[in-house]
Amino acid sequence: MLGGGEGTAAGAPQQLEWKFSQVFGERAAGEEVQEVDIISAIEFDRTGNHLATGDRGGRVVLFERIDTKDHGGNRMDLERMDCSINRHPEFRYKTEFQSHEPEFDYLKSLEIEEKINKIRWCQTANGALFLLSTNDKTIKFWKVQEKKVKKVCDLNGDLSGAIGNGPVVCSSTSTSSKPCMENGGCNGNPFSYSSNNTSLPAGGIPSLRLPVVGNSNETSLAAKCRRIYAHAHDYHINSISNNSDGETFISADDLRINLWNLEISNQSFNIVDVKPANMEDLTEVITSAEFHPTQCNMLAYSSSRGSIRLIDMRQSALCDTHSKLFEEQEVPGTRSFFTEIIASISDIKFAKDGRYILSRDYMTLKLWDVNMDSGPVATFQVHEYLRPKLCDLYENDSIFDKFECCLSGDGIRVATGSYSNMFRVFGCSGGSTEATTLEASKSPMRRQVQTPSRPSKSLGTLPRVLRRGGADASGVDANGSSFDFTTKLLHLAWHPTENSLACAASNSLYMYYA
């Protein structure tokens, strides 16, 4: 990903040109967005053929890719049909289900929101999709599978066919003179319920017509909650992450990380606990946690003080010591009231091969090499023009917004969100100066910031800090456009194998390709 080959300046990848693909839930001009419809989580599965979103109303919505299905067949057939193989990815709505409901903790007098904090896909089996979803307190394991629809057909026959069933043999010799109807009923009461005589009429009931349930060619998707993992966190869950062994996963809150087995919902193991004996001594909290993509014994978690700890579960049952600590040394003379606040890491992601860790704090993206804990190998300024506005951001609580980050499948680009529904894409291979600003709209490139001629610092051939220009305190971004703190792009995901991005802007899901 960094250095060597395409890591040289001459061999740096070309800057991508992003194009609009599609949008789901587009808001009309002047339309008011309901709070429950705002997207709060987004995740591709490992194949990239399915996409899941969660919202503040506790719903999970699934999308499936359809452009690969429409163009099946071998290359020769496609060329004969004169179809383009390199079509942009296209998704369609698949299904949705209510994952969480609002709850109330009576012991703590605390309302528990239904908002989906995280979604993680699990391994598929027998054509069924499996995924984990969590709100602040409860994790659920869902199975989504197609089932054949059973329909009620016509009744099971007419009078002419009813004789084939034969009469009902009865040992009673009593008879009834009352006429019987075609459906088996009788005019009057042939059975004397007022007495002890409960016998059937002689010869039985001529015809009993029942509805017949049969299979149809139609199928429907059914979501079923297989397991509920609850009562293991005293604080709000901020992360869940699947293990590469396919059997376990972790969940993290502010002070603890628990290890679960997918098959066991009534117990978990506490593997990280940063809660001090005296809460007054608390100096940092856990903000994000993620398993290593290939090594099932390794995981990383970030803190509110801007550090990342890599731990090995083979060392001890309670991983109270870390294998490696990644943090950037503070530059002397730069400390201010906001230093610790903006240093808090809101999200971390491993690269696909596990060699690099991407972290997002309030102002920057940082790329870390797991083999080098002296500092990040690259730092990208996301919205440096907001630095003069930190007082305003603190007053309106925007400084506490938690932006997510993601890496491309090949590991040579990273992306994260910003305000005014903007998101940034950076090239992180050595020598790359790619820094694209896009807007979550049907014209993503209309507010693009010009790429600077050179980075401000470098480490060998690696871009150490890529500064993208500043702005004054007049409420404009680096491109001269006004920014809006109320519209923020917090959640986005990169397709695992292609240059395709899915972004959540309020209640709308935008998709782009390059």
Side-chain angles (χ1 to χ4, degrees):
M1 179 168 70
L2 289 168
E6 21 174 39
T8 62
Q14 293 182 351
Q15 181 167 319
L16 296 178
E17 181 182 354
W18 291 92
K19 300 175 183 177
F20 170 78
S21 175
Q22 56 191 141
V23 59
F24 295 95
E26 185 179 16
R27 179 175 47 170
E31 180 184 354
E32 184 178 351
V33 177
Q34 299 295 321
E35 179 80 10
V36 294
D37 294 331
I38 296 177
I39 298 173
S40 57
I42 184 169
E43 185 81 3
F44 279 104
D45 72 347
R46 65 181 58 192
T47 66
N49 292 329
H50 293 93
L51 176 68
T53 64
D55 61 27
R56 295 187 182 181
R59 293 164 298 196
V60 173
V61 183
L62 303 185
F63 302 88
E64 66 175 346
R65 188 169 179 175
I66 58 174
D67 58 296
T68 53
K69 295 180 180 180
D70 295 341
H71 288 76
N74 57 44
R75 186 183 184 92
M76 187 176 297
D77 293 337
L78 291 173
E79 289 177 348
R80 189 179 299 116
M81 294 167 58
D82 196 27
C83 289
S84 172
I85 296 175
N86 296 320
R87 294 188 65 205
H88 67 82
E90 187 177 351
F91 285 77
R92 71 178 176 192
Y93 169 86
K94 186 177 180 74
T95 188
E96 68 179 86
F97 56 90
Q98 189 71 33
S99 174
H100 288 73
E101 300 280 357
E103 300 175 40
F104 189 82
D105 189 333
Y106 293 96
L107 294 177
K108 298 181 179 180
S109 296
L110 181 69
E111 289 186 6
I112 303 173
E113 292 183 341
E114 65 270 35
K115 185 188 84 165
I116 304 297
N117 290 341
K118 295 289 180 182
I119 296 174
R120 290 293 180 265
W121 290 91
C122 302
Q123 294 180 353
T124 59
N126 299 324
L129 302 174
F130 295 90
L131 55 109
L132 291 165
S133 62
T134 183
N135 65 352
D136 286 339
K137 295 291 184 180
T138 305
I139 307 163
K140 295 186 179 182
F141 183 50
W142 291 91
K143 177 182 180 181
V144 182
Q145 190 175 29
E146 282 191 352
K147 290 188 175 181
K148 287 189 175 181
V149 177
K150 290 187 175 182
K151 287 189 173 181
V152 176
C153 304
D154 295 334
L155 298 178
N156 63 347
D158 52 20
L159 268 179
S160 60
I163 195 65
N165 294 328
V168 177
V169 179
C170 183
S171 59
S172 173
T173 57
S174 64
T175 61
S176 175
S177 60
K178 300 188 186 297
C180 293
M181 297 183 295
E182 290 185 359
N183 65 354
C186 293
N187 292 326
N189 184 10
F191 311 116
S192 180
Y193 291 106
S194 59
S195 65
N196 292 329
N197 182 15
T198 58
S199 59
L200 294 173
I205 299 174
S207 175
L208 184 62
R209 303 183 68 187
L210 298 174
V212 176
V213 178
N215 291 325
S216 68
N217 294 327
E218 297 181 17
T219 59
S220 67
L221 282 164
K224 182 179 181 181
C225 183
R226 296 292 300 274
R227 288 175 192 86
I228 298 177
Y229 313 91
H231 312 301
H233 288 278
D234 292 330
Y235 304 93
H236 290 177
I237 298 172
N238 55 50
S239 303
I240 53 175
S241 179
N242 305 85
N243 199 346
S244 58
D245 62 10
E247 298 178 357
T248 56
F249 71 94
I250 55 171
S251 58
D253 63 22
D254 291 342
L255 299 180
R256 293 186 177 93
I257 300 177
N258 293 333
L259 177 68
W260 301 83
N261 188 299
L262 284 168
E263 302 295 327
I264 302 171
S265 60
N266 59 0
Q267 70 174 2
S268 63
F269 297 95
N270 179 223
I271 57 175
V272 175
D273 190 345
V274 300
K275 184 178 181 180
N278 185 356
M279 286 296 285
E280 293 182 358
D281 298 330
L282 182 67
T283 59
E284 61 182 341
V285 295
I286 298 168
T287 56
S288 183
E290 177 144 322
F291 260 121
H292 191 282
T294 58
Q295 299 180 27
C296 61
N297 56 289
M298 303 291 293
L299 64 96
Y301 69 91
S302 59
S303 80
S304 57
R305 298 190 68 178
S307 61
I308 301 173
R309 290 172 173 84
L310 191 67
I311 62 175
D312 189 341
M313 294 190 296
R314 297 173 297 184
Q315 289 183 338
S316 62
L318 181 63
C319 303
D320 49 1
T321 59
H322 51 264
S323 301
K324 286 189 177 182
L325 174 65
F326 304 94
E327 60 182 355
E328 190 172 25
Q329 298 301 318
E330 186 178 317
V331 179
T334 60
R335 188 170 186 81
S336 70
F337 173 78
F338 305 107
T339 299
E340 287 191 8
I341 299 176
I342 64 176
S344 177
I345 295 175
S346 56
D347 190 27
I348 60 171
K349 291 287 193 309
F350 272 101
K352 195 173 183 179
D353 59 0
R355 172 70 186 273
Y356 296 92
I357 300 174
L358 180 67
S359 67
R360 170 69 202 264
D361 57 43
Y362 187 70
M363 298 296 291
T364 65
L365 272 175
K366 292 185 175 73
L367 192 67
W368 308 80
D369 188 335
V370 296
N371 296 330
M372 190 179 77
D373 53 7
S374 58
V377 295
T379 300
F380 309 97
Q381 306 293 340
V382 178
H383 38 217
E384 187 65 18
Y385 54 86
L386 292 181
R387 196 170 291 275
K389 289 282 188 180
L390 289 180
C391 285
D392 296 335
L393 292 163
Y394 180 78
E395 289 294 329
N396 61 25
D397 287 341
S398 294
I399 201 170
F400 302 107
D401 287 335
K402 299 185 183 304
F403 293 93
E404 294 180 0
C405 59
C406 58
L407 296 98
S408 60
D410 54 17
I412 63 176
R413 291 180 179 85
V414 295
T416 191
S418 182
Y419 293 101
S420 301
N421 283 341
M422 311 290 284
F423 61 101
R424 310 291 309 273
V425 179
F426 300 98
C428 57
S429 58
S432 173
T433 57
E434 180 178 356
T436 308
T437 300
L438 303 143
E439 182 184 25
S441 68
K442 291 185 176 180
S443 302
M445 303 288 285
R446 67 178 180 175
R447 294 173 67 173
Q448 182 180 0
V449 176
Q450 295 299 317
T451 302
S453 58
R454 61 181 179 85
S456 62
K457 295 182 182 179
S458 62
L459 178 65
T461 60
L462 305 179
R464 177 72 172 186
V465 178
L466 302 178
R467 301 202 179 271
R468 301 303 182 236
D472 58 21
S474 59
V476 297
D477 61 20
N479 204 35
S481 303
S482 61
F483 51 79
D484 181 6
F485 295 144
T486 61
T487 56
K488 59 196 77 170
L489 200 149
L490 301 177
H491 313 285
L492 76 172
W494 202 303
H495 191 282
T497 59
E498 300 177 6
N499 286 323
S500 175
L501 276 167
C503 309
S506 187
N507 66 322
S508 302
L509 176 66
Y510 286 90
M511 306 196 70
Y512 304 94
Y513 71 100

